[in-house]
Amino acid sequence: MSSASKADRKAALDVASWGFNIVTSVGIIMVNKALMATYGFCFATTLTGLHFATTTLLTLLLRWLGYIQVSYLPLPELLKFVMFSNFSIVGMNVSLMWNSVGFYQIAKLSMIPVSCFLEVIFDKVRYSRDTKLSIVLVLLGVAVCTVTDVSVNFKGFLAAVIAIWSTALQQYYVHFLQRKHSLGSFDLLGHTAPLQAASLLLTGPFVDYWLTEKKVYAYDYTVTSVFFTILSCTIAVGTNLSQFICIGRFTAVSFQVLGHMKTVLVLILGFIFFGKEGLNLHVILGMVIAVVGMIWYGNASSKPGGKERRIYSAPSNKSQKRDSLDTNETDDKV
């Protein structure tokens, strides 16, 4: 296979991966919004536990059918990943409860610079000026169309800090574990989903009661609410898998930056299905800025030197202190 055809195939797979993630992520947000806003199912942590339980069942089925090979992930690595992931889930829910919606959105945007910091520290990644500016433009655009009222208190700020760092670490760890242990996306899900499902289903009802003062087993279940719950769990399998695929193929930073396309689509679909009172010039301007920033990021990070990892070689006779620079780790244009 020629290099050109390989590049075309890789580009097609990259686009398919992002498309899969966008469709499933936007789909689950819309279904969950209907489930929680329309049918009053406000038990987000327990629902996430059901998502991972469904994912676990699928991975067990695929392993039994032989589509997932036996792989190894050290227990300490697994426990760290599950800890980061569960703190991320609970932290985001608590942050939304204790902070204004505006500050909650700012906290979500803060994950991008934190993810950049982790890549710079642990992976020795260097960003070009254009890549940095494109990230700033994306942050500005999303902030313009989502951040409204901003108020914060100490406990809300603390919850936001925990949510930001745990989410950034969880996403960084997805890429790190796949690369370090040569794990595929389903392989990693097969290791992490069962423990996440068990921990969230055990603690979820208590966390949800703390957040909402409502008991999940006292909820008035109807045929429609159960249908939406099952639909949410089904879509969540694709969401979990597509997140691991995208972060594995790219990086946590690219996943965060280009992932804000989902924010734009959720806003648009929200206006279509749940009312158009929020659609105004201010929001549309923010969407346009964000999309321009994403296109710029895809172009800037794919260029030589746009985003590269520094690998320091052993001193040689000719240059005892010269560092070698590996430029083969650039993000691919999406």
Side-chain angles (χ1 to χ4, degrees):
M1 185 181 292
S2 66
S3 59
S5 59
K6 286 182 179 179
D8 291 341
R9 183 174 180 275
K10 186 180 185 309
L13 289 174
D14 290 345
V15 172
S17 300
W18 278 115
F20 183 34
N21 180 254
I22 289 173
V23 170
T24 55
S25 298
V26 173
I28 198 171
I29 289 173
M30 303 309 293
V31 170
N32 287 351
K33 186 171 183 178
L35 179 62
M36 295 180 180
T38 306
Y39 299 100
F41 191 89
C42 53
F43 312 103
T45 309
T46 304
L47 182 61
T48 306
L50 293 173
H51 291 170
F52 282 108
T54 308
T55 304
T56 299
L57 292 177
L58 180 61
T59 57
L60 290 175
L61 175 63
L62 292 176
R63 181 167 292 165
W64 180 67
L65 293 174
Y67 290 104
I68 299 179
Q69 303 301 318
V70 177
S71 57
Y72 174 70
L73 181 64
L75 182 60
E77 304 267 42
L78 173 61
L79 293 177
K80 280 192 288 186
F81 179 88
V82 172
M83 180 184 69
F84 294 147
S85 183
N86 288 356
F87 268 103
S88 169
I89 294 165
V90 176
M92 294 304 293
N93 290 337
V94 174
S95 175
L96 181 59
M97 182 185 72
W98 285 348
N99 295 312
S100 66
V101 175
F103 187 79
Y104 173 78
Q105 291 293 342
I106 291 175
K108 289 179 66 176
L109 293 175
S110 301
M111 293 175 194
I112 293 180
V114 171
S115 296
C116 291
F117 174 78
L118 293 176
E119 288 191 357
V120 169
I121 296 299
F122 295 118
D123 290 342
K124 310 301 181 185
V125 169
R126 186 179 66 185
Y127 299 92
S128 69
R129 181 179 61 87
D130 281 357
T131 304
K132 294 175 185 176
L133 291 175
S134 65
I135 292 174
V136 171
L137 192 62
V138 172
L139 293 173
L140 175 63
V142 177
V144 167
C145 62
T146 60
V147 176
T148 53
D149 61 308
V150 178
S151 60
V152 64
N153 54 71
F154 177 75
K155 65 178 184 179
F157 177 79
L158 184 62
V161 170
I162 293 173
I164 292 166
W165 280 95
S166 56
T167 302
L169 285 166
Q170 182 261 347
Q171 293 183 356
Y172 172 82
Y173 231 54
V174 169
H175 186 75
F176 171 78
L177 291 177
Q178 289 191 49
R179 187 179 60 198
K180 179 179 179 181
H181 299 286
S182 301
L183 296 173
S185 302
F186 257 127
D187 296 328
L188 186 56
L189 266 180
H191 287 291
T192 60
L195 189 53
Q196 283 189 260
S199 58
L200 289 173
L201 287 176
L202 286 173
T203 61
F206 300 101
V207 174
D208 289 331
Y209 180 73
W210 174 50
L211 294 174
T212 65
E213 297 185 352
K214 295 180 181 179
K215 298 177 181 178
V216 65
Y217 55 81
Y219 174 74
D220 184 20
Y221 292 92
T222 63
V223 174
T224 309
S225 64
V226 171
F227 168 77
F228 272 98
T229 303
I230 295 173
L231 181 60
S232 177
C233 292
T234 304
I235 299 175
V237 176
T239 305
N240 292 331
L241 177 61
S242 64
Q243 182 196 43
F244 281 27
I245 290 174
C246 287
I247 297 178
R249 293 185 69 85
F250 307 101
T251 63
V253 172
S254 294
F255 181 76
Q256 283 282 347
V257 173
L258 300 176
H260 277 298
M261 176 61 72
K262 295 175 286 189
T263 303
V264 174
L265 291 176
V266 167
L267 287 171
I268 294 173
L269 292 175
F271 299 144
I272 294 173
F273 293 109
F274 297 101
K276 301 181 180 180
E277 65 276 1
L279 185 60
N280 53 54
L281 183 61
H282 181 265
V283 174
I284 294 174
L285 176 62
M287 291 180 182
V288 172
I289 294 173
V291 171
V292 171
M294 292 173 206
I295 296 172
W296 188 10
Y297 175 84
N299 182 60
S301 62
S302 66
K303 291 180 178 178
K307 182 180 178 182
E308 56 193 14
R309 177 176 299 163
R310 291 169 289 180
I311 299 179
Y312 299 102
S313 62
S316 63
N317 292 332
K318 294 182 179 180
S319 176
Q320 294 294 324
K321 296 182 179 180
R322 180 177 300 171
D323 296 331
S324 66
L325 184 63
D326 182 3
T327 60
N328 293 325
E329 297 277 343
T330 58
D331 267 1
D332 297 286
K333 185 174 181 180
V334 178

